[in-house]
């Protein structure tokens, strides 16, 4: 059994889930209590017997995956506003603005004025 | 997660799994209960100590050894997926 105590201030819970998920085919994964210091104990029970040397390799791989997922989550958080802005712009530019009604557009020189309105009927 | 209360009624094994509410999502647990429904009869209860208690009754003979382990893995899979 591999047992690791992880602080969720260092490794967000979503990162822990993500890292554990990578090992789900070879291990049974259990999440123990979360204590007052925000430590989660993760237990990984191998489905097949493991040699001691293999356990250390798995432990190393697990922490690498934790780092990977934590980094991804941090990048996602930092880029959230930019992504939302880009999606909004993309959706806005896809809107069809060929309206049947008013065709409002800028006319700073006042050129687009009907003759009758500008000079009257005479 | 803790497993306890392994007992037999009428030849069928029954088990109880304790899942911490802060670590396991109810939606995922319910999804796993639904998908594992053919292998055992499930009941989900809340206890006062911030745990969900999942009772497994009438566990299918062939699933008895691994059902709890596979169930917990499946809950993790559903949590990751959503």
């Amino acid at each position: 059994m591999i047992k690791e105590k992880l602080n969720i201030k260092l490794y967000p819970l979503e990162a822990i889930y993500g890292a554990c998920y990578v090992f789900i085919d070879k291990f049974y994964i259990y999440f123990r209590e979360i204590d007052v210091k925000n430590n989660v104990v993760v237990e990984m029970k191998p489905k097949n017997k493991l040699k001691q040397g293999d356990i250390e390799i798995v432990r190393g791989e697990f922490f690498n995956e934790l780092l990977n997922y934590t980094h991804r989550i941090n990048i996602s958080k930092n880029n959230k506003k930019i992504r939302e802005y880009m999606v909004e712009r993309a959706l806005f530019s896809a809107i069809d603005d060929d309206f049947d009604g008013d065709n409002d557009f800028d006319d700073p020189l006042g050129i687009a004025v009907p003759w009758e309105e500008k000079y009257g009927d005479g | 997660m803790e497993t306890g209360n392994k007992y037999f009624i009428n030849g069928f094994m029954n088990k109880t799994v304790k899942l911490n509410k802060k670590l396991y999502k109810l939606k995922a647990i319910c999804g796993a209960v639904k998908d594992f429904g053919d292998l055992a009869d499930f009941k989900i209860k809340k206890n006062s100590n911030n745990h969900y208690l999942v009772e497994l009754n009438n566990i299918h003979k062939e699933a008895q050894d691994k059902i709890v382990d596979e169930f917990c893995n499946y809950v993790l899979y559903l949590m990751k997926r959503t």
Side-chain angles (χ1 to χ4, degrees):
Chain A
M1 178 86 81
I2 298 172
K3 232 181 185 178
E4 295 297 340
K5 203 183 224 184
L6 304 168
N7 192 300
I8 59 170
K9 288 187 178 178
L10 290 175
Y11 302 108
L13 214 44
E14 291 304 319
I16 295 173
Y17 294 151
C20 288
Y21 179 73
V22 172
F23 294 88
I24 214 171
D25 60 335
K26 295 207 166 86
F27 290 84
Y28 294 117
I29 313 279
Y30 313 103
F31 301 114
R32 284 280 185 137
E33 305 294 320
I34 181 165
D35 63 22
V36 290
K37 292 181 183 175
N38 291 318
N39 291 317
V40 176
V41 173
V42 177
E43 288 180 1
M44 297 167 66
K45 183 171 94 176
K47 292 184 181 180
N48 299 308
K49 230 175 180 181
L50 278 185
K51 296 178 211 167
Q52 185 58 35
D54 290 342
I55 289 175
E56 289 311 311
I57 291 171
V58 168
R59 192 176 261 122
E61 295 290 334
F62 177 67
F63 275 101
N64 276 359
E65 286 296 341
L66 265 177
L67 179 61
N68 176 30
Y69 275 93
T70 303
H71 185 54
R72 264 204 239 174
I73 287 169
N74 287 341
I75 288 176
S76 178
K77 265 191 212 163
N78 292 339
N79 292 345
K80 186 181 174 190
K81 280 192 179 164
I82 294 173
R83 273 185 284 117
E84 283 173 1
Y85 174 73
M86 285 170 68
V87 167
E88 267 176 39
R89 285 295 301 260
L91 289 173
F92 184 74
S93 66
I95 290 171
D96 184 6
D97 58 359
D98 187 16
F99 294 115
D100 291 331
D102 294 331
N103 286 324
D104 291 328
F105 56 90
D106 285 339
D107 181 26
L109 300 178
I111 297 169
V113 179
W115 180 272
E116 290 76 17
E117 195 179 309
K118 197 170 183 179
Y119 298 106
D121 289 334
Chain B
M1 193 239 38
E2 291 166 42
T3 321
N5 300 339
K6 214 190 292 186
Y7 55 93
F8 289 86
I9 291 181
N10 296 334
F12 288 100
M13 186 187 281
N14 298 320
K15 293 186 184 181
T16 304
V17 183
K18 227 159 88 165
L19 302 173
N20 191 301
K21 283 184 200 171
K22 290 182 184 177
L23 300 171
Y24 290 92
K25 296 175 189 170
L26 182 60
K27 193 176 176 185
I29 296 172
C30 292
V33 162
K34 187 181 170 198
D35 290 341
F36 274 60
D38 290 341
L39 297 174
D41 297 331
F42 287 84
K43 252 190 211 166
I44 304 175
K45 295 179 184 176
K46 287 181 192 176
N47 75 357
S48 54
N49 293 342
N50 296 316
H51 285 92
Y52 297 114
L53 294 177
V54 182
E55 286 180 5
L56 290 78
N57 299 310
N58 302 324
I59 301 171
H60 197 280
K61 236 180 187 176
E62 287 171 7
Q64 279 171 4
D65 288 339
K66 295 196 175 165
I67 189 168
V68 170
D69 296 332
E70 294 292 344
F71 179 79
C72 293
N73 267 13
Y74 195 74
V75 174
L76 169 60
Y77 157 71
L78 290 177
M79 288 197 299
K80 181 70 183 78
R81 199 178 70 166
T82 55

